[in-house]
């Protein structure tokens, strides 16, 4: 599997919190070294005794989703590992971020589009007028099989942005309207191109760069002039799939005149920043989180001296919760069982609410 780097962040505000970057290539290696693949698979590769972790479990998959799922299934996982004589892994927060990056990368490339519709769209939207599949046509368009963007959504978004002005001029000269693409249409086109005989064996790549340098570039490029208030990217989810992001860049570019093209490194930095924004806060509610803390039995031990008081403050994030689970969970389970306390389960927004509450405890 080629290197895929997902830039993710844990913290409420980029400029105020330490950046935690998840590297999915490290996550893939960790998945194997910690024997996760003995039971689990990712997109069909690995064990079959437990769920495939590359399958989308929810539309808004986030670090808190992973933390909640791990907590819910931890006792069964530990029992299965004991029966298989496998050592229980201990994960630090960085390793948890790496695993999330790996799982999310697999979900990010999940083929939910339709290749048949994509082929029709490739023609009806005017793409086929300039771009043949294997050769350069009379209009000079680069053949699809030479597009790096077929398997790299960052390059796809960059090309959509950079290509838009030329495409707009060409279509205006022909008396055609600039097409607007929905995320579904973009995904259909991508799936069609990814399943051509010449491209179907290519591996996906995804390599955002530092969120911090991306934030500086975001300001330097003047993006902050428009993306404020209700248009703030922190309030949008335009990058939860490759199709969403590429369509967003294409449509946005067609509505304005770019001052300059984006270089590959610039796009990687911008993507790292936007990804970080969308995972910087799981939007939990502290008041609900306090009820979760009490109803799940956390207060029974952590507020009565039987276990350390949970005053996590800014350290309260999903990756830290996963680290705590694998470091202290087995002993917690034994202690809870001895007192007749059920192992907690977290549903819906429970985990994000709990984290919001733990941030207030200092």
């Amino acid at each position: 599997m080629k290197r895929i780097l997902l830039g993710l962040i844990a913290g409420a505000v980029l400029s105020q919190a330490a950046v935690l970057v998840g590297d999915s290539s490290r996550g893939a290696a960790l998945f194997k070294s910690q024997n996760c693949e003995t039971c689990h698979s990712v997109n069909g590769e690995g064990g079959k005794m437990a769920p495939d972790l590359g399958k989308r479990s929810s539309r808004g998959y986030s670090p808190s989703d992973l933390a909640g799922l791990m907590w819910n299934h931890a006792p069964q996982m530990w029992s299965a590992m004991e029966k298989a004589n496998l050592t229980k892994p201990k994960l630090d927060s960085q390793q948890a971020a790496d695993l999330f990056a790996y799982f999310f990368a697999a979900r990010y490339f999940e083929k939910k589009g339709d290749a048949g519709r994509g082929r029709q769209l490739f023609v009806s939207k005017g793409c086929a007028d300039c771009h043949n599949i294997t050769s350069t046509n009379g209009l000079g368009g680069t053949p699809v099989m030479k597009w790096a963007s077929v398997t790299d959504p960052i390059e796809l978004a960059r090309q959509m942005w950079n290509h838009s002005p030329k495409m707009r001029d060409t279509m205006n000269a022909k008396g055609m309207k600039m097409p607007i693409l929905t995320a579904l249409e973009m995904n259909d086109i991508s799936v069609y191109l990814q399943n051509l005989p010449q491209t179907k064996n290519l591996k996906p790549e995804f390599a955002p760069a530092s969120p911090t340098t991306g934030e500086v570039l975001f300001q330097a490029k003047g993006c902050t002039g428009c993306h404020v208030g209700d248009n703030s990217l922190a309030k949008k989810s335009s990058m939860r799939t490759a199709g969403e992001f590429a369509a967003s860049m294409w449509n946005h570019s067609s509505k304005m005149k770019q001052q300059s093209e984006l270089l590959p490194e610039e796009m990687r930095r911008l993507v790292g920043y936007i990804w970080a924004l969308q995972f910087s806060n799981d939007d939990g509610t502290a008041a609900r989180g306090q009820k979760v803390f009490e109803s799940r039995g956390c207060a029974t031990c952590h507020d009565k001296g039987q276990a350390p008081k949970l005053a996590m403050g800014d350290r309260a994030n999903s990756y830290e919760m996963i680290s705590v689970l694998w470091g202290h969970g087995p002993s917690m389970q034994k202690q809870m069982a001895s007192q007749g306390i059920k192992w907690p389960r977290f549903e819906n927004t429970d985990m994000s609410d709990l984290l919001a509450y733990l941030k207030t405890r200092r």
Side-chain angles (χ1 to χ4, degrees), residues 1 4 6-8 24 42-43 53-56 58-63 65-66 97-110 206 239-242 244 275 278-279 319:
M1 181 178 184
I4 306 172
L6 280 175
L8 304 173
S24 76
V42 174
N43 288 345
L53 297 177
K55 301 299 182 183
R56 190 180 298 279
S58 68
R59 179 64 184 83
Y61 186 67
S62 68
D65 284 336
L66 177 61
D98 292 342
L99 281 175
F100 176 77
Y102 175 48
F103 299 151
F104 199 98
R107 293 158 187 260
Y108 191 72
F109 289 101
E110 190 176 26
F206 193 70
M239 287 192 61
R240 294 305 173 100
T241 71
E244 284 177 341
W275 267 100
Q278 295 192 14
F279 286 109
Y319 303 133

Side-chain angles (χ1 to χ4, degrees), residues 1 26-38 45 99 102:
M1 181 178 184
R26 289 198 304 257
L30 190 66
F31 188 75
K32 293 182 178 181
S33 66
Q34 297 292 1
N35 297 311
C36 308
E37 65 177 1
T38 301
E45 297 184 11
L99 281 175
Y102 175 48

Side-chain angles (χ1 to χ4, degrees), residues 346-359:
F346 300 96
E347 309 295 343
N348 302 317
T349 65
D350 286 346
M351 180 59 73
S352 58
D353 291 336
L354 177 61
L355 289 170
Y357 172 61
L358 293 178
K359 286 180 185 294

Side-chain angles (χ1 to χ4, degrees), residues 14 17 32 37 41 47 49 62 66 81 94 99 107 132-133 174 209 226 262 286 322 345 349 352:
L14 276 175
K32 293 182 178 181
E37 65 177 1
S41 59
M49 295 185 291
S62 68
L66 177 61
M81 295 182 80
Q94 178 63 67
L99 281 175
R107 293 158 187 260
N132 289 342
I133 301 302
K174 292 184 176 182
C226 293
L262 289 170
I322 293 172
R345 288 188 61 83
T349 65
S352 58

Side-chain angles (χ1 to χ4, degrees), residues 12 64 281-293 310 312-318 321 349-362:
S64 65
N281 192 339
D282 284 324
D283 295 324
T285 301
R288 291 199 303 258
Q290 183 174 4
K291 293 180 180 179
V292 172
F293 186 79
L310 293 180
M312 300 178 72
D314 290 337
R315 291 189 304 107
N317 62 67
S318 300
M321 288 294 284
T349 65
D350 286 346
M351 180 59 73
S352 58
D353 291 336
L354 177 61
L355 289 170
Y357 172 61
L358 293 178
K359 286 180 185 294
T360 69
R361 292 169 60 102
R362 300 177 185 275

Side-chain angles (χ1 to χ4, degrees), residues 73-348:
H73 300 292
Q76 296 96 306
M77 288 191 289
W78 294 330
S79 176
M81 295 182 80
E82 287 180 357
K83 290 180 180 179
N85 198 30
L86 297 173
T87 302
K88 299 184 185 71
K90 289 187 177 181
L91 303 174
D92 59 30
S93 54
Q94 178 63 67
Q95 290 173 321
D98 292 342
L99 281 175
F100 176 77
Y102 175 48
F103 299 151
F104 199 98
R107 293 158 187 260
Y108 191 72
F109 289 101
E110 190 176 26
K111 292 179 173 62
K112 287 295 187 180
D114 183 276
R117 290 197 307 260
R119 183 178 183 279
Q120 294 176 350
L121 286 165
F122 192 75
V123 174
S124 65
K125 294 293 184 179
C127 312
D129 291 346
C130 296
H131 300 286
N132 289 342
I133 301 302
T134 59
S135 62
T136 301
N137 64 15
L139 294 177
T142 304
V144 172
M145 65 178 296
K146 293 185 179 181
W147 292 3
S149 56
V150 171
T151 55
D152 184 345
I154 295 179
E155 181 61 16
L156 174 62
R158 189 182 79 88
Q159 292 289 355
M160 296 299 279
W161 174 265
N162 291 346
H163 187 53
S164 180
K166 182 178 179 180
M167 184 69 176
R168 183 168 54 240
D169 292 341
T170 300
M171 299 193 78
N172 286 339
K174 292 184 176 182
M176 301 170 62
K177 289 185 177 181
M178 188 73 169
I180 298 298
L181 296 170
T182 67
L184 178 59
E185 289 173 334
M186 181 63 75
N187 200 38
D188 286 342
I189 292 173
S190 295
V191 170
Y192 161 60
L193 297 179
Q194 291 164 4
N195 283 278
L196 293 168
Q198 298 86 355
T199 62
K200 65 180 181 180
N201 292 323
L202 298 176
K203 296 294 184 180
E205 298 184 52
F206 193 70
S210 165
T212 302
T213 60
E215 181 178 17
V216 173
L217 186 61
F218 191 78
Q219 295 172 351
K221 289 289 184 179
C223 307
T224 51
C226 293
H227 292 290
V228 294
D230 291 339
N231 288 324
S232 170
L233 293 179
K235 296 183 178 181
K236 300 179 181 295
S237 59
S238 60
M239 287 192 61
R240 294 305 173 100
T241 71
E244 284 177 341
F245 184 52
S248 178
M249 291 297 292
W250 172 261
N251 296 335
H252 186 54
S253 175
S254 68
K255 296 176 183 177
M256 63 176 290
K257 290 185 178 180
Q258 304 96 306
Q259 297 299 316
S260 63
E261 292 190 346
L262 289 170
L263 300 174
E265 181 60 25
E266 290 177 327
M267 180 58 86
R268 285 195 292 270
R269 291 177 180 177
L270 289 172
V271 169
Y273 171 58
I274 299 170
W275 267 100
L277 277 179
Q278 295 192 14
F279 286 109
S280 64
N281 192 339
D282 284 324
D283 295 324
T285 301
R288 291 199 303 258
Q290 183 174 4
K291 293 180 180 179
V292 172
F293 186 79
E294 294 169 352
S295 65
R296 299 301 190 278
C298 310
T300 302
C301 294
H302 290 288
D303 280 354
K304 296 183 179 179
Q306 299 180 45
K309 185 175 181 179
L310 293 180
M312 300 178 72
D314 290 337
R315 291 189 304 107
N317 62 67
S318 300
Y319 303 133
E320 185 68 18
M321 288 294 284
I322 293 172
S323 177
V324 168
L325 170 68
W326 287 97
H328 305 288
S331 60
M332 289 170 56
Q333 183 190 22
K334 291 180 181 179
Q335 184 175 349
M336 292 174 71
S338 68
Q339 299 181 44
I341 302 174
K342 290 184 178 180
W343 184 258
R345 288 188 61 83
F346 300 96
E347 309 295 343
N348 302 317

